[in-house]
Amino acid sequence: MARESIRNKVTITEIARQAGVSVPTVSRVVNGRSDVSPETRARIEDLLRHHGYQRKPNAPGDRAALIDLVFNDLDSPWAVEIIRGVEEVAHASGVGTVVSAIHGASGSARQWMTNLRARASDGVILVTSVLEPRLHDELRRLGVPLVVVDPAGSPALDMPTVGATNWAGGMAATEHLLGLGHRRIGFIAGPPRLLCSRARLDGYRAALEGADMAVDDALIVPGDFYHSAGFDGCNALLDLEEPPTALFASSDQMALGAIEALRRRGLRVPEDLSVVGFDDLPEVRWSAPPLTTVRQPLADMGKLATRTVLRLALGEEPASPRIELATELVVRASTAPLA
């Protein structure tokens, strides 16, 4: 009798840990849902039988049918494009999406984790953010799979990531300006904590070095992907004793901020300064002039991250632990040959 009592106290969390799957995956098997691979289902059912697990009627949280999409901030059209891709795949899979912003603050991240514990989740997609090691370990303990889009810092080996070919994109943007005859090319960088920012800067440097040109650090100014950083960075470059004739901003928003700085000085794009951005947000096709930029497939990145996290929730391996989608240079009217 004592042994039977111990068996009945086994939790779904413990079954998930022993099976090496997420808690929602075990819940699906308990509830007789079909969206679990046969091999995983058999492994879970063996453990359920071994422990004599008895499902309680109407047990709360047994079915999550939710994924969490977590941003550092949501005040960007870039985030909207990611959300659009995530929601398309989630909706088609019958899964809801919970969107959160943790604002880079540990308190916000801890509150989000508290909310997640209370309602359960099939998986988490983390975008350009980083979790404290303690919170990451808590996700592992709960058996909730995690996929990272554009990771901040080096991700753990067991953490699948989705990104774009940022180095190639940075190189293509710079080579485009070199091909137009520009030799003094300014660069407004993104946040150095993000791998995508560092890769775009490395691509810029590689293109200059490939053209047998020395990299002038005075032409590289810091930024944060937002309009104000592009505005301030452009002004700093224009104040140089020998200002650039072209500018590569490592986000579209910073490129638009730079164009506004030029406008306020009475300078024209591209006649006085050619400008290239990065992202290809919908709004830049309608800027004045339309912006030359590097397109990264943001919505597709969101779709792929969602497919990956749902695959992990089923107890399956990801198609690849590190995926980069191709970028593409889109030439519009904001760049022109050096006068």
Side-chain angles (χ1 to χ4, degrees):
M1 179 66 72
R3 179 177 175 82
E4 186 65 26
S5 174
I6 291 171
R7 279 186 171 187
N8 282 335
K9 289 183 179 179
V10 71
T11 64
I12 285 181
T13 300
E14 178 60 20
I15 295 291
R17 186 190 68 78
Q18 293 184 25
V21 300
S22 69
V23 172
T25 300
V26 178
S27 295
R28 290 191 184 95
V29 173
V30 170
N31 286 283
R33 289 174 56 178
S34 61
D35 50 349
V36 180
S37 66
E39 180 183 344
T40 300
R41 178 182 298 279
R43 187 163 72 251
I44 292 171
E45 287 177 342
D46 284 345
L47 286 167
L48 291 171
R49 283 192 296 270
H50 173 74
H51 289 285
Y53 178 83
Q54 299 293 320
R55 182 183 183 278
K56 297 178 182 179
N58 302 319
D62 271 355
R63 296 182 64 174
L66 289 173
I67 58 172
D68 276 70
L69 177 58
V70 184
F71 292 87
N72 195 46
D73 288 295
L74 283 169
D75 53 350
S76 167
W78 182 91
V80 173
E81 291 298 297
I82 295 284
I83 293 171
R84 187 166 63 83
V86 169
E87 177 59 25
E88 182 177 327
V89 173
H91 178 75
S93 303
V95 175
T97 307
V98 179
V99 180
S100 306
I102 59 176
H103 309 292
S106 59
S108 296
R110 285 194 292 270
Q111 182 58 54
W112 164 75
M113 180 64 78
T114 299
N115 295 339
L116 182 141
R117 287 193 206 100
R119 57 174 160 71
S121 177
D122 282 328
V124 174
I125 300 172
L126 190 67
V127 185
T128 63
S129 303
V130 63
L131 290 178
E132 298 173 12
R134 182 176 65 81
L135 297 181
H136 189 196
D137 291 343
E138 178 69 1
L139 281 180
R140 282 200 187 102
R141 189 186 70 78
L142 293 172
V144 179
L146 173 66
V147 175
V148 181
V149 176
D150 274 343
S154 299
L157 294 177
D158 63 343
M159 187 188 303
T161 63
V162 176
T165 53
N166 290 287
W167 183 87
M171 188 169 186
T174 310
E175 286 180 337
H176 169 66
L177 294 171
L178 289 168
L180 293 173
H182 297 281
R183 291 299 176 265
R184 285 191 63 76
I185 301 172
F187 181 81
I188 305 179
R193 67 185 180 85
L194 297 180
L195 293 179
C196 61
S197 298
R198 301 204 295 269
R200 291 170 200 178
L201 174 57
D202 288 344
Y204 163 83
R205 292 179 179 275
L208 294 176
E209 292 166 356
D212 294 325
M213 293 179 55
V215 177
D216 185 350
D217 288 336
L219 291 173
I220 302 172
V221 296
D224 60 8
F225 287 163
Y226 292 99
H227 294 92
S228 58
F231 182 88
D232 294 339
C234 183
N235 279 321
L237 290 169
L238 293 173
D239 288 338
L240 293 174
E241 185 175 342
E242 188 180 355
T245 63
L247 170 64
F248 172 28
S250 54
S251 80
D252 283 349
Q253 287 181 281
M254 292 198 299
L256 295 177
I259 289 174
E260 177 60 17
L262 291 162
R263 186 190 68 80
R264 293 192 189 185
R265 290 191 180 218
L267 299 174
R268 299 165 301 165
V269 177
E271 291 85 356
D272 298 309
L273 195 85
S274 286
V275 178
V276 179
F278 201 110
D279 286 330
D280 196 27
L281 298 175
E283 64 194 80
V284 303
R285 304 170 199 175
W286 308 104
S287 62
L291 184 67
T292 295
T293 187
V294 176
R295 176 183 296 152
Q296 63 168 335
L298 296 169
D300 288 341
M301 289 160 62
K303 292 176 186 177
L304 183 55
T306 308
R307 293 190 189 103
T308 301
V309 82
L310 291 176
R311 186 182 181 113
L312 291 170
L314 293 174
E316 301 171 0
E317 291 297 319
S320 173
R322 303 283 182 268
I323 300 176
E324 288 189 342
L325 300 182
T327 53
E328 176 189 2
L329 180 69
V330 181
V331 178
R332 298 193 180 100
S334 67
T335 52
L338 179 65

